[in-house]
Amino acid sequence: MAQAKPKTEAKPVRRSAIDGVYERIRKKVLDSELAPGSQILEHELAVMLGVSRTPVREAVIRLHNEGLLEIIPRHGVRIVPIAVSDMREIYDVLISLEPRAAELLALRGASPKELRQLEVCCERMTDALARDEMEEWALADEEFHLGIVQLSGNRRLADIVLNCWDQVHRARYFTLRLRKHPHPSKSIEEHYEIIEAIRRGDAKAASDIYRRHRDRGLKEQVDVMMTFRIHQI
Amino acid sequence: MAQAKPKTEAKPVRRSAIDGVYERIRKKVLDSELAPGSQILEHELAVMLGVSRTPVREAVIRLHNEGLLEIIPRHGVRIVPIAVSDMREIYDVLISLEPRAAELLALRGASPKELRQLEVCCERMTDALARDEMEEWALADEEFHLGIVQLSGNRRLADIVLNCWDQVHRARYFTLRLRKHPHPSKSIEEHYEIIEAIRRGDAKAASDIYRRHRDRGLKEQVDVMMTFRIHQI
DNA sequence: CGCACCCATTATGTATACATTAATGCATTC
DNA sequence: GAATGCATTAATGTATACATAATGGGTGCG
């Protein structure tokens, strides 16, 4: 899980049931359709998805490696909840890796087309914010950060970051509805600063701004969780 | 995945065949007993290990997620070889994460016992070097760096780093025999500097020295591979 | 009334059987 | 002689059957 699995790669595509099962369980976990902290038996999952236990097991192993599920010997799988301490751990990894991705992108130089792609995300964010559509705002935000790690050219780094995001996904979307506004204009401003730094090829600046951006993000998340006495999510 | 699976955690331990199978295949890969780039069928692995295909498959999925194996639809699993470009990718992740681990350890403050544990590794390295036992030197080196990430307190970060190490393990041991000496005194010196910085609680210094240390490590690895025209390992 | 032990139940771990799909080789035709 | 198509083979993907081990409850004894 480590690490780091080829989720990014676009293969010729072989559609086997296990991939489908994996995706469906993953979606249920990310969307809280399977409640954090709850447990469910392999057999129940198999029945729920209309397949046998075999593909379920294999999908579950993958999800376990990704840190989304825990395998409790006689009690099925447990959807791992994210506590504030987990949040800190995960953000610590993100804060170490994402600025480096921005740095790499700045160093290798982004094409106008790639920069444009990032700008479009910012425009979508501004737009969504104006109409108070926070879900759309979050989606565009995700796409921006996703874009940077993927454009960094380091696939392993990108895979790790993506996996971290999966783990905090629930929390991000949950807090969306709780906090008034996520310092949104400030956030978008920083995004533009990052794009500018990358355009200038200023790796140091890109990295620094990114780090500040994530630092603030962590604080906001933790604040919301503390304020609302949410210990797990 | 990303990677990052609970490899660190010490559970009550349940010894099931799949764990054993996983360990044995992993060992064969790390020790190059299964050659990098070679392919082997699930069935062959099963026969080789004296079990059925089921536990083999499950172990293979884990190893695939860790980036050690690749699953080629009709041609079994392939032991993924590490090229120079992979080396750079992996070290990039390490260079982002390990200094942060040292930083965290410096920030929280290491106990005398913990610091002693790290020093013992350095002493073992010095000792091994004096007797020209490079394998032992490498082992002690690994234990030092392992110690730091594990003492950092961030289990996810530690798991990711451990996984990266697995991926470069072969290369590290291979180059051991090719280069004269890995700037060994310099290397040990830096280790002590890192320990000192942690002892002082100087997070910045610990991080910086560590980064330099790894930067040099990457260069050495790449140099050796280039010099000997090793494209994959 | 409480604790401990034993048995039944059940979930998982493992093996095996079966179906599906892809690759290879051979034959036939152009 | 080469290329294409079909058939055979073989490996994986999936299901199912079976063995094992743990859990929970019930009963009996202290």
Side-chain angles (χ1 to χ4, degrees):
Chain A
M1 106 35 86
Q3 43 304 146
K5 316 87 235 186
K7 200 186 303 178
T8 312
E9 73 189 323
K11 275 192 177 170
V13 184
R14 79 278 170 211
R15 209 68 205 140
S16 64
I18 159 162
D19 292 306
V21 169
Y22 164 79
E23 290 293 353
R24 286 200 283 164
I25 299 179
R26 176 169 168 277
K27 184 161 161 42
K28 280 180 197 293
V29 173
L30 293 188
D31 296 350
S32 295
E33 202 171 317
L34 289 170
S38 68
Q39 292 179 196
I40 186 167
L41 299 175
E42 287 179 4
H43 180 68
E44 296 180 272
L45 278 172
V47 170
M48 181 184 301
L49 301 177
V51 294
S52 80
R53 272 177 52 222
T54 310
V56 169
R57 289 206 96 210
E58 308 200 344
V60 160
I61 289 171
R62 285 175 64 179
L63 292 162
H64 169 65
N65 287 349
E66 288 169 17
L68 295 181
L69 298 179
E70 203 174 343
I71 299 176
I72 312 273
R74 293 267 139 191
H75 300 279
V77 299
R78 176 162 176 271
I79 287 77
V80 316
I82 299 295
V84 169
S85 61
D86 295 302
M87 208 72 169
R88 286 190 213 278
E89 276 201 16
I90 297 166
Y91 263 82
D92 225 333
V93 173
L94 286 175
I95 289 170
S96 303
L97 293 180
E98 292 191 287
R100 176 61 178 159
E103 209 170 293
L104 284 172
L105 184 53
L107 284 174
R108 81 159 172 84
S111 74
K113 191 176 161 197
E114 290 168 340
L115 288 166
R116 183 70 201 127
Q117 170 193 335
L118 295 174
E119 280 173 351
V120 168
C121 295
C122 296
E123 287 162 16
R124 276 177 55 200
M125 288 175 73
T126 309
D127 205 50
L129 201 62
R131 289 179 298 174
D132 206 50
E133 290 172 3
M134 297 314 285
E135 295 266 335
E136 164 64 11
W137 178 88
L139 273 171
D141 181 59
E142 255 185 39
E143 209 164 300
F144 175 86
H145 295 291
L146 198 85
I148 293 201
V149 289
Q150 288 184 338
L151 292 174
S152 78
N154 187 329
R155 201 174 52 68
R156 289 164 216 261
L157 195 155
D159 283 341
I160 295 170
V161 168
L162 260 51
N163 175 237
C164 285
W165 276 35
D166 270 3
Q167 293 187 50
V168 292
H169 181 273
R170 268 198 313 266
R172 282 175 57 84
Y173 276 74
F174 190 73
T175 54
L176 257 191
R177 290 168 230 125
L178 290 186
R179 60 186 170 185
K180 264 289 170 250
H181 273 317
H183 292 294
S185 53
K186 173 89 181 152
S187 178
I188 298 178
E189 208 174 285
E190 281 174 337
H191 284 202
Y192 277 116
E193 286 178 45
I194 293 171
I195 294 177
E196 268 322 301
I198 292 172
R199 192 194 310 276
R200 293 197 310 272
D202 188 341
K204 178 79 165 58
S207 168
D208 287 346
I209 299 165
Y210 213 134
R211 180 174 300 258
R212 268 211 312 282
H213 185 66
R214 272 280 167 270
D215 268 328
R216 204 160 47 73
L218 169 59
K219 268 195 203 67
E220 277 177 19
Q221 288 287 344
V222 171
D223 276 354
V224 174
M225 288 179 76
M226 297 299 233
T227 304
F228 290 85
R229 300 278 193 286
I230 301 165
H231 294 107
Q232 291 193 334
I233 188 169
Chain B
M1 32 307 19
Q3 98 87 192
K5 317 85 235 191
K7 200 186 305 178
T8 312
E9 73 188 323
K11 275 193 176 172
V13 184
R14 82 246 168 238
R15 210 66 206 140
S16 65
I18 159 162
D19 292 306
V21 169
Y22 164 78
E23 291 293 352
R24 285 199 283 164
I25 298 178
R26 177 169 168 276
K27 184 162 162 39
K28 280 180 198 295
V29 173
L30 293 188
D31 296 350
S32 295
E33 204 172 316
L34 290 171
S38 68
Q39 292 179 196
I40 186 168
L41 299 175
E42 286 180 3
H43 180 70
E44 297 180 272
L45 278 172
V47 171
M48 180 184 303
L49 301 177
V51 294
S52 80
R53 272 178 52 223
T54 311
V56 169
R57 287 207 98 212
E58 307 199 345
V60 159
I61 290 171
R62 284 174 64 179
L63 292 162
H64 169 65
N65 286 350
E66 289 169 15
L68 295 181
L69 300 179
E70 204 174 342
I71 298 176
I72 313 272
R74 294 265 140 190
H75 302 280
V77 298
R78 176 163 177 269
I79 287 78
V80 316
I82 299 296
V84 169
S85 62
D86 295 301
M87 207 74 165
R88 286 190 212 278
E89 276 201 17
I90 297 166
Y91 264 82
D92 225 333
V93 174
L94 286 175
I95 290 170
S96 303
L97 293 181
E98 291 191 287
R100 176 59 179 161
E103 209 171 294
L104 284 173
L105 184 52
L107 285 174
R108 81 159 170 83
S111 73
K113 191 178 161 194
E114 290 167 342
L115 288 166
R116 184 69 201 128
Q117 170 192 335
L118 296 174
E119 279 173 351
V120 168
C121 295
C122 296
E123 288 162 16
R124 276 177 56 200
M125 288 175 72
T126 308
D127 206 49
L129 200 61
R131 289 179 299 175
D132 206 49
E133 289 172 3
M134 297 315 285
E135 295 266 335
E136 163 64 11
W137 177 88
L139 274 171
D141 181 60
E142 255 186 39
E143 210 165 298
F144 175 87
H145 295 291
L146 198 84
I148 292 201
V149 289
Q150 288 184 336
L151 292 175
S152 79
N154 187 330
R155 201 174 53 66
R156 288 163 217 261
L157 194 155
D159 284 339
I160 296 170
V161 168
L162 260 52
N163 176 239
C164 285
W165 277 36
D166 271 3
Q167 293 186 51
V168 292
H169 181 273
R170 269 197 313 266
R172 282 174 58 83
Y173 277 73
F174 190 72
T175 53
L176 257 193
R177 291 168 228 125
L178 290 187
R179 61 185 166 184
K180 265 286 170 255
H181 274 317
H183 290 294
S185 53
K186 174 88 179 153
S187 178
I188 298 178
E189 209 174 284
E190 281 174 337
H191 284 201
Y192 277 116
E193 285 178 46
I194 293 171
I195 295 178
E196 268 322 300
I198 292 172
R199 195 194 309 277
R200 294 198 308 273
D202 188 342
K204 177 80 166 55
S207 168
D208 286 346
I209 300 165
Y210 211 134
R211 180 174 300 257
R212 267 211 312 282
H213 185 66
R214 272 279 167 270
D215 267 329
R216 204 159 48 72
L218 169 60
K219 268 195 203 67
E220 277 177 20
Q221 287 287 345
V222 171
D223 276 354
V224 174
M225 288 180 77
M226 297 299 231
T227 304
F228 290 85
R229 300 279 195 284
I230 301 165
H231 294 108
Q232 290 193 335
I233 189 169

